[in-house]
Amino acid sequence: MTKLLYRLIVLGAFCVFAAGSVFGQRQLGARPTTTGGPLSAEQAAYDVKHYDVSAQIFPLQKSIAGQTVITARIVSPTNVFVVDLDMPFNISFVGEIGKMNVAKSLKFERREGKIWIWFPMTKQTGDEVRVEIRYEGVPRVAPAPPWVGGFMWEKTADGSDWIAIACQNDGADVWFPVKDHPSDEADSVDLHITVPKNLYVASVGKLRSVNENEDDTKTYNWKMSNPINNYNIILNIAPYKTVEKNYKSVAGDTFPIRFYALPESAEKAPDIVDQTAKFLDFFEKYLGPYPFRGEKLGIAETPHLGMEHSTIIAYGNKFKNGENGFDTLMFHELGHEWWGNLVTASDWRDFWLHEGFDSFMDTLYLEEIKGKEAYLNAMKRRAKATRNIQPVAPREPKFAYEVYLAAPDYIKSDGDIYGKGAVVLHTLRYLIGDQAFFRALRRMAYPAKEMEKITTGRQTRFATTDDFRQIAEEESKMNLEWFFEIYLRQPFLPKLKVEQVENNQGTMSVNFTWETPDNLPFEMPIEVKVGDELKRIRVEKNFGWMPIQRGQELTVDPDGWILKAQ
């Protein structure tokens, strides 16, 4: 972006400062803005290939001025191009860039948080378009980051500016024009971010260059060469100090673990870097190599708690280890590089593939460092905390806030895509056994062994709940439709009815009956401890039984493997 264009845009930004602030305060509330949901035909008509985002950040005015070029391939004939951009921004120009690299203005219209843009002639399937949008304004301030997102304008210990963006539940349209749906990841992203010269911009991918400008600013040029969720395209800005070490992956590649720390935190940063190297050992053992070895593993200190932005994890846990002696926030966000960034749900209805799988890994790590009993006890606590209000993996399209927050008011948190998702995997592990389960887990990350060698972006993929069911069935040689139907497609838990009965011959037996919503089939075998002996009771048509001696005591599911109503 030219200096002249910046000056024109920033003048516009000052003009809308007051109006933008009022609008932002009026719109903010307990619930995030909409992201995802049903994909409109107009947005389904194109596939984003590349975002090129130039933006200048003005900390004093808490405003930004930007220019975004979206390169897209048309997948069905259309004369309209619809993108998302948050309402606080003014748009000064929309145009199509032609063969001579010159943008010709296009007709456009704002409709709430979307920009409707019309081409003069219908674009045909296979056409490539480049749409340029120039905008400016005061972005919304995050009222409860990272859950309800936007910008954070904070200060470091010495009074320097400390700026961050969090937008998972709101979408990247809080700061640049984007197709705000998880089903469409740009193949690559270029960012050119201008800030006061005392600040450093940490972002996704690799830093290609830094330009020193005549007006006491610097422009940081970042490039992410792998596909990326739009909500992962963010900025972290502060007078960062860098702490790093190299890590050698199980795939043989070496890449940097790089922590961008505030000056006052620089002495604490090496501990997080060292812990992260240990965490990588664990994740690579079970899931295969870190997916973005061709970029980096970045960690940026942020004013909010944390988020899994690909290659630049947001860290705001203040260097606190949990009761088990490690930084649980850092561990969890790192896990999303596999569950979320390598394997991505194409709709928010399947986001338990991000949160539930990652929460399972959180708990599995306790088994790794503390033993099986610690793992089992943690899963029992997770099981008791399930809310069972809405399905973990509904079949209909969803907005982000609908899966993270509880129906019907969508204000209170609903953690079931985290904790319940983890316990569902725990129960599946019990059902199909460790060997089949851990093979399925690794195949869910990397379906084919040869994919573990790739770093160009072809290793990333979209996935659904049914994809995981298919993998688990192949590895276990079992039909698991009943399992997925009960635990993921509807909210209520099965209840186990246990009865001791006296038979006609004077012998005793114990009957086990699974009671399920709408009498859905549930063939879950039941583990029973009789004395010191552990038995596994087969269940058919929701019923199983075992003989027992009169007065003999038994314990049902003693280790808490089965997720069921309490």
Side-chain angles (χ1 to χ4, degrees):
M1 188 180 294
T2 65
K3 294 289 182 182
L4 176 60
L5 176 58
Y6 267 131
R7 293 189 182 100
L8 291 173
I9 289 176
V10 76
L11 285 173
F14 292 147
C15 292
V16 301
F17 179 88
S21 296
V22 171
F23 181 89
Q25 293 300 318
R26 182 171 62 84
Q27 292 296 310
L28 296 178
R31 182 175 71 74
T33 58
T34 57
T35 179
L39 183 62
S40 68
E42 292 81 7
Q43 289 199 311
Y46 69 90
D47 172 31
V48 175
K49 308 304 290 182
H50 182 71
Y51 291 114
D52 191 297
V53 183
S54 299
Q56 185 160 5
I57 311 299
F58 301 96
L60 182 62
Q61 295 79 22
K62 296 182 180 178
S63 68
I64 69 172
Q67 170 184 296
T68 295
V69 176
I70 304 173
T71 302
R73 183 175 62 87
I74 303 299
V75 297
S76 62
T78 184
N79 72 330
V80 66
F81 194 81
V82 178
V83 300
D84 299 89
L85 182 64
D86 206 7
M87 287 302 291
F89 295 108
N90 277 358
I91 299 171
S92 58
F93 177 82
V94 174
E96 181 180 6
I97 300 175
K99 293 182 180 180
M100 302 301 293
N101 210 34
V102 175
K104 184 177 180 180
S105 64
L106 295 173
K107 177 185 175 183
F108 71 93
E109 177 183 314
R110 301 295 296 277
R111 298 182 185 176
E112 296 182 347
K114 296 186 184 295
I115 312 170
W116 285 64
I117 304 165
W118 284 271
F119 298 116
M121 300 284 290
T122 297
K123 299 294 182 181
Q124 302 301 313
T125 301
D127 286 352
E128 184 175 279
V129 298
R130 295 172 66 203
V131 175
E132 177 184 331
I133 301 168
R134 303 172 196 165
Y135 60 102
E136 72 282 329
V138 177
R140 70 177 63 236
V141 174
W147 302 279
V148 186
F151 270 69
M152 286 146 275
W153 307 89
E154 305 294 340
K155 297 289 186 179
T156 65
D158 68 356
S160 298
D161 289 299
W162 184 19
I163 304 162
I165 302 169
C167 57
Q168 183 185 46
N169 288 334
D170 298 85
D173 60 313
V174 300
W175 79 279
F176 74 95
V178 68
K179 179 178 174 180
D180 185 17
H181 198 275
S183 65
D184 198 351
E185 295 183 336
D187 295 342
S188 60
V189 176
D190 280 281
L191 300 174
H192 316 282
I193 309 301
T194 301
V195 295
K197 67 178 182 179
N198 67 310
L199 300 179
Y200 186 103
V201 179
S203 192
V204 296
K206 284 185 175 180
L207 181 60
R208 302 292 179 168
S209 63
V210 180
N211 301 332
E212 295 193 10
N213 306 314
E214 296 177 356
D215 57 354
D216 288 333
T217 64
K218 289 183 178 179
T219 300
Y220 289 79
N221 302 297
W222 287 89
K223 185 176 185 66
M224 177 62 167
S225 299
N226 277 232
I228 184 170
N229 308 333
N230 81 76
Y231 68 77
N232 277 344
I233 307 170
I234 51 79
L235 307 176
N236 303 287
I237 302 168
Y240 286 124
K241 304 295 182 183
T242 303
V243 176
E244 72 174 74
K245 71 184 295 183
N246 286 333
Y247 180 86
K248 187 172 183 180
S249 168
V250 292
D253 308 284
T254 298
F255 60 90
I257 304 171
R258 187 173 296 134
F259 194 109
Y260 301 92
L262 298 184
E264 58 264 32
S265 305
E267 292 183 359
K268 301 175 183 177
D271 177 61
I272 295 298
V273 172
D274 290 340
Q275 286 196 52
T276 301
K278 293 179 181 178
F279 301 158
L280 280 167
D281 292 342
F282 170 80
F283 283 112
E284 292 204 329
K285 171 183 173 181
Y286 285 98
L287 306 179
Y290 173 69
F292 306 105
R293 304 182 302 284
E295 308 285 347
K296 69 176 183 307
L297 199 173
I299 310 161
E301 190 172 359
T302 57
H304 64 91
L305 181 61
M307 187 54 67
E308 67 266 20
H309 310 125
S310 184
T311 75
I312 188 67
I313 292 167
Y315 175 84
N317 201 35
K318 302 185 185 301
F319 307 92
K320 296 181 297 185
N321 289 337
E323 61 181 355
N324 290 301
F326 66 96
D327 195 305
T328 53
L329 185 280
M330 185 62 228
F331 183 92
H332 181 81
E333 303 305 348
L334 176 61
H336 279 305
E337 293 286 30
W338 285 265
W339 306 124
N341 300 336
L342 170 65
V343 181
T344 305
S346 59
D347 190 280
W348 288 93
R349 63 189 170 201
D350 284 316
F351 261 64
W352 84 285
L353 299 178
H354 297 207
E355 304 295 5
F357 276 60
D358 201 20
S359 296
F360 175 82
M361 300 304 295
D362 294 348
T363 318
L364 183 66
Y365 191 61
L366 292 180
E367 181 175 340
E368 189 84 357
I369 64 173
K370 298 285 187 178
K372 195 64 161 282
E373 187 176 354
Y375 163 83
L376 292 172
N377 287 336
M379 282 299 182
K380 289 176 184 176
R381 290 192 294 271
R382 284 194 182 278
K384 289 181 180 178
T386 60
R387 294 171 61 87
N388 310 302
I389 295 172
Q390 55 191 10
V392 172
R395 287 190 169 89
E396 66 275 10
K398 291 290 182 179
F399 294 102
Y401 69 82
E402 292 178 301
V403 300
Y404 279 95
L405 304 175
D409 53 9
Y410 300 114
I411 294 175
K412 295 181 180 179
S413 174
D414 181 6
D416 276 359
I417 62 170
Y418 292 81
K420 186 175 181 179
V423 185
V424 168
L425 293 175
H426 168 70
T427 301
L428 181 64
R429 177 185 179 183
Y430 158 78
L431 175 64
I432 69 177
D434 274 12
Q435 290 188 358
F437 176 80
F438 286 112
R439 287 197 306 267
L441 198 67
R442 189 167 185 127
R443 277 191 59 197
M444 188 61 180
Y446 288 101
K449 190 69 176 177
E450 55 269 22
M451 291 179 66
E452 297 186 10
K453 301 176 183 178
I454 302 170
T455 60
T456 61
R458 290 187 296 111
Q459 76 276 19
T460 65
R461 69 187 226 282
F462 289 111
T464 67
T465 298
D466 285 333
D467 289 335
F468 181 58
R469 175 188 154 192
Q470 177 69 24
I471 290 171
E473 288 184 338
E474 289 176 1
E475 293 299 336
S476 66
K477 307 297 189 294
M478 297 171 63
N479 183 337
L480 298 172
E481 181 179 4
W482 58 271
F483 179 95
F484 280 70
E485 197 68 28
I486 284 286
Y487 283 129
L488 298 170
R489 299 307 191 181
Q490 62 84 46
F492 307 110
L493 294 181
K495 183 177 181 180
L496 182 61
K497 183 180 179 181
V498 182
E499 294 179 296
Q500 289 195 24
V501 297
E502 185 169 346
N503 302 318
N504 293 334
Q505 296 82 6
T507 59
M508 298 290 294
S509 66
V510 181
N511 293 345
F512 304 94
T513 305
W514 284 113
E515 298 177 347
T516 59
D518 299 321
N519 294 314
L520 288 167
F522 193 64
E523 308 301 299
M524 182 65 67
I526 302 158
E527 206 167 62
V528 179
K529 189 173 185 180
V530 183
D532 294 330
E533 185 180 2
L534 202 60
K535 297 183 178 181
R536 190 167 171 123
I537 308 304
R538 183 178 177 182
V539 171
E540 291 183 352
K541 297 182 179 179
N542 294 27
F543 178 80
W545 74 280
M546 64 174 288
I548 189 174
Q549 296 178 10
R550 193 179 302 274
Q552 196 171 34
E553 293 185 1
L554 56 84
T555 305
V556 178
D557 188 24
D559 292 324
W561 282 104
I562 304 172
L563 178 58
K564 55 188 179 298
Q566 303 297 317

